[in-house]
Amino acid sequence: MTEARPLEGVRVLGVEQYMSAPYCTLLLADAGAEVIKIERPGQGDPRRSIGPFAQAGHEKMAGGFMAYNRNKKSLTLDLASPDGQTIFKRLVEVSDVVVENLRPGSMDRKGLGFEALRDVNPRLIYAGISGFGRVHDVEDERSYGDRPAFDIVAEAMSGIMNLVGFEDKPPSWTIYGLADIYSGVSAALGVLQALYMRERTGEGQFVDSSMLDNMIALNERMVMLYSL
């Protein structure tokens, strides 16, 4: 008899691409959650076309895509169309979690952001992964909240890169995708905490995972030493 896994019965919608959100939902899927990966028509997740590739009969499969998307289902859906948005909202009605790492504001402009989806399902947990976080003062011109970012940006701005390499050489990139991977882990932890809180309150909430914040937290010893 197979033992039940911790997240069996939890349904997750992954509006995701590349690494950070797919890694988050990968962890949830490995723990037993039903993860439905939402992919754009025609192209799907861009990592489907990024090597290295494995040959399976007459079909080539991208290794990075397979590694980050095991145990998931996939659904092609055009979220820019009214029909696609309607279908997505119907899925939200019967789901527990949405995880996305699109450019900040993208889902809001489609009418599919947290505030809109909370009206559809008050118990929904919505995790947004971005370079600089979603919870910020939009009137503050110093805020980077609406800017896109890749892994290397968060690594550089957090000071992590300054700890890598040699003292007499420029800062170096760390392991492949460190900021993406660690932000996926942080988002998954936030989702688990939100699921636990929902058992006590009956309500969902927004989980904000900022790549820069996550890297600064990972670099906490150096920040502490510099502060002292």
Side-chain angles (χ1 to χ4, degrees), residues 96-130:
D96 300 283
V97 181
V98 169
V99 178
E100 59 101 339
N101 66 328
L102 305 184
R103 179 168 179 162
S106 177
M107 292 290 279
D108 292 304
R109 288 190 291 272
K110 294 179 177 66
L112 301 175
F114 173 63
E115 295 300 331
L117 296 183
R118 184 165 58 175
D119 292 336
V120 175
N121 181 356
R123 291 174 55 82
L124 182 72
I125 292 158
Y126 188 114
I129 304 175
S130 61

Side-chain angles (χ1 to χ4, degrees), residues 25-157:
T25 58
L26 168 70
L27 297 176
L28 301 177
D30 284 351
E34 177 191 14
V35 175
I36 302 173
K37 182 181 181 74
I38 307 298
E39 300 193 64
R40 71 186 76 177
Q43 181 184 9
D45 188 327
R47 291 203 87 200
R48 285 184 178 272
S49 59
I50 299 174
F53 296 96
Q55 194 74 32
H58 297 291
E59 186 176 6
K60 286 198 311 182
M61 299 289 289
F65 177 84
M66 291 191 293
Y68 280 65
N69 293 284
R70 64 176 180 260
N71 293 330
K72 301 180 187 179
K73 299 176 180 179
S74 178
L75 174 65
T76 300
L77 202 57
D78 182 5
L79 296 182
S81 72
D83 287 344
Q85 293 166 7
T86 298
I87 293 170
F88 186 74
K89 288 180 179 179
R90 288 174 61 188
L91 282 170
V92 167
E93 289 178 358
V94 293
S95 297
D96 300 283
V97 181
V98 169
V99 178
E100 59 101 339
N101 66 328
L102 305 184
R103 179 168 179 162
S106 177
M107 292 290 279
D108 292 304
R109 288 190 291 272
K110 294 179 177 66
L112 301 175
F114 173 63
E115 295 300 331
L117 296 183
R118 184 165 58 175
D119 292 336
V120 175
N121 181 356
R123 291 174 55 82
L124 182 72
I125 292 158
Y126 188 114
I129 304 175
S130 61
F132 306 102
R134 312 287 180 90
V135 181
H136 61 92
D137 183 359
V138 295
E139 302 298 329
D140 188 349
E141 295 181 355
R142 299 168 297 175
S143 172
Y144 283 18
D146 60 347
R147 300 191 184 191
F150 283 99
D151 175 273
I152 195 171
V153 174
E155 289 194 26
M157 292 181 67

